[in-house]
Amino acid sequence: GQQLNQSPQSMFIQEGEDVSMNCTSSSIFNTWLWYKQDPGEGPVLLIALYKAGELTSNGRLTAQFGITRKDSFLNISASIPSDVGIYFCAGQDNDMRFGAGTRLTVKP
Amino acid sequence: GAVVSQHPSWVICKSGTSVKIECRSLDFQATTMFWYRQFPKQSLMLMATSNEGSKATYEQGVEKDKFLINHASLTLSTLTVTSAHPEDSSFYICSARQGLIYNSPLHFGNGTRLTVT
């Protein structure tokens, strides 16, 4: 099935730094979502975006639904060690398609 | 929040046997559930969409006779891997849509790690 283009593939940052990752698609989605997956577990929903241009925050996380409805970004401010994991973007219409994931490593 | 329970969390089986994985929505009704497969360090690949009371819709390349899906109630979908082979070893994850509208968020189970020996 169609996949989304998510970048970067991996990030190695120092604790306290800000993080930014994004997703693009050749198709329009009506909903963009961001999930975090820890090893051996299922993805956990972080933020859901429903309108083009929407900017939503969840604690230190901020995500935006692109105006064209073909892209979204996720920012994490002041990273901490527990932010480590894989972050997936997802575009949702009748079903859901995932990006390849961004593997985040935070050095204390 | 919405909880999706998946069972078992891990299973080891011998080649040629069948394995059933359950996905339950614990505090909401889910007319639609999805089954994904994930290989190490890769993203989730949609296998099939499970609809309560009707046949599942399979993605291209997924064998429906090998991966049997049953969605007999609004809170339970099952995936049966029939005649499992080592190449079927993977992490299988289900998700359920909370809410009736098509863009309601999906909530995921914790996955089932299948190892076929």
Side-chain angles (χ1 to χ4, degrees), chain A residues 28-106:
Chain A
I28 290 174
F29 286 103
N30 292 306
T31 304
W32 280 91
L33 306 102
W34 286 91
Y35 288 85
K36 182 190 178 193
Q37 186 179 26
D38 290 325
E41 298 185 12
V44 174
L45 180 65
L46 299 175
I47 293 179
L49 303 159
Y50 298 103
K51 295 181 183 177
E54 179 181 353
L55 183 71
T56 298
S57 293
N58 178 7
R60 293 178 296 107
L61 278 62
T62 301
Q64 184 159 31
F65 191 148
I67 290 291
T68 64
R69 294 164 63 193
K70 293 183 178 181
D71 63 297
S72 177
F73 72 75
L74 173 70
N75 288 340
I76 305 174
S77 62
S79 60
I80 59 178
S82 61
D83 289 335
V84 165
I86 304 176
Y87 292 80
F88 290 101
C89 64
Q92 182 167 322
D93 207 327
N94 290 322
D95 54 37
M96 183 179 286
R97 306 291 169 169
F98 284 85
T102 296
R103 186 177 296 272
L104 179 63
T105 302
V106 180

Side-chain angles (χ1 to χ4, degrees), chain B:
Chain B
V3 177
V4 175
S5 174
Q6 193 170 335
H7 178 80
S9 56
W10 60 270
V11 57
I12 302 173
C13 71
K14 291 186 177 180
S15 187
T17 61
S18 295
V19 174
K20 180 184 283 188
I21 303 170
E22 293 186 349
C23 181
R24 293 180 186 273
S25 56
L26 296 186
D27 53 358
F28 64 98
Q29 293 184 332
T31 55
T32 304
M33 292 185 174
F34 302 89
W35 288 95
Y36 293 83
R37 183 173 182 176
Q38 186 178 34
F39 291 105
K41 298 186 179 181
Q42 293 189 22
S43 188
L44 290 80
M45 296 298 295
L46 180 64
M47 297 175 65
T49 302
S50 171
N51 300 298
E52 187 267 336
S54 64
K55 290 183 179 180
T57 303
Y58 290 82
E59 293 299 297
Q60 188 174 6
V62 178
E63 299 176 59
K64 62 180 182 181
D65 294 330
K66 181 166 185 63
F67 298 100
L68 300 179
I69 292 173
N70 184 279
H71 193 157
S73 77
L74 286 171
T75 59
L76 174 65
S77 175
T78 61
L79 169 69
T80 300
V81 183
T82 61
S83 186
H85 288 96
E87 57 265 31
D88 297 325
S89 299
S90 189
F91 193 52
Y92 293 86
I93 308 175
C94 71
S95 68
R97 174 170 287 149
Q98 182 187 17
L100 297 178
I101 56 177
Y102 73 97
N103 63 348
S104 300
L106 296 188
H107 297 274
F108 287 82
N110 268 337
T112 297
R113 181 159 304 283
L114 171 63
T115 302
V116 184
T117 61

